[in-house]
């Protein structure tokens, strides 16, 4: 059996993290890696100690708001945000790391990724945000795509 590449391997871990998401709209996972070691993981969910989306924690998730709208009323943190916050919470430095995301980062996540010093983003599914894409390009962040399903072990 062929072994997965490192990108495929870590993307499969991001896909596994996404299974913990409680969002009613989209399950997203992220894994931060440095020197081929997992430093932090995250998935989209409400803040610590609050009811999750399925238990009424986020009204936007239960609404019919179109994708990409009403984000200022959403209580959930994105997977990338949670992975960065978890690293900080536990005192883990992530400068120079790679973040693997099941979905392309939005503008808010892109800004956090840049300021956290993450040097590379690998994502599976597109989430077109031209402003985020330009920001990452201007910040010289290496961005690559590993399409969904290719992270599963091949044989």
């Amino acid at each position: 059996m062929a072994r997965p590449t490192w990108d495929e391997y870590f993307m499969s871990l991001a896909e596994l993290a996404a299974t913990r998401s409680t969002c009613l709209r989209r399950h997203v996972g992220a894994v931060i890696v440095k020197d081929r070691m997992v430093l932090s993981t995250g998935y989209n969910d409400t803040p610590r100690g609050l009811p999750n989306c399925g238990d009424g924690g986020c009204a936007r998730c239960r609404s019919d708001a179109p994708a990409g709208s009403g984000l200022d009323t959403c209580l959930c943190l994105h997977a990338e945000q949670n992975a960065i916050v978890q690293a900080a919470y536990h005192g883990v430095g992530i400068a120079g790391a790679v973040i693997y995301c099941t979905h392309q980062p939005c503008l808010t996540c892109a800004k956090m990724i840049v300021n956290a010093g993450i040097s590379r983003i690998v994502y599976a599914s597109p989430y077109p945000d031209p402003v985020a894409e330009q920001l990452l390009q201007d910040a010289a962040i290496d961005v690559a795509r590993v399409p969904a399903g290719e992270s599963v072990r091949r044989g």
Side-chain angles (χ1 to χ4, degrees):
M1 291 188 116
R3 289 173 43 174
T5 66
W6 286 110
D7 282 348
E8 292 168 343
Y9 172 72
F10 290 120
M11 186 59 69
S12 69
L13 295 179
E15 291 170 358
L16 181 61
T19 66
R20 290 287 306 153
S21 172
T22 63
C23 183
L24 301 174
R25 294 170 166 255
R26 184 185 318 251
H27 291 195
V28 181
V31 176
I32 299 176
V33 174
K34 188 171 186 180
D35 299 326
R36 297 184 180 158
M37 297 294 295
V38 174
L39 302 178
S40 182
T41 65
Y43 50 89
N44 52 333
D45 197 5
T46 53
R48 183 186 316 259
L50 297 179
N52 66 40
C53 295
D55 293 331
C58 182
R60 182 188 176 276
C61 288
R62 293 186 320 272
S63 76
D64 60 356
S69 69
L71 298 177
D72 57 336
T73 64
C74 182
L75 298 182
C76 297
L77 286 103
H78 289 183
E80 302 93 327
Q81 294 168 335
N82 264 329
I84 291 168
V85 168
Q86 288 305 312
Y89 184 84
H90 293 286
V92 176
I94 58 174
V98 178
I99 188 166
Y100 291 84
C101 313
T102 58
H103 292 74
Q104 185 177 356
C106 70
L107 178 59
T108 300
C109 291
K111 292 186 285 187
M112 287 185 70
I113 288 166
V114 169
N115 270 9
I118 292 172
S119 60
R120 183 169 184 246
I121 299 168
V122 181
Y123 70 92
S125 298
Y127 183 82
D129 185 334
V131 178
E133 291 174 18
Q134 187 63 53
L135 173 85
L136 294 169
Q137 183 178 346
D138 292 347
I141 304 292
D142 180 29
V143 179
R145 181 170 182 220
V146 172
E150 289 187 26
S151 60
V152 177
R153 186 176 186 131
R154 300 169 311 224

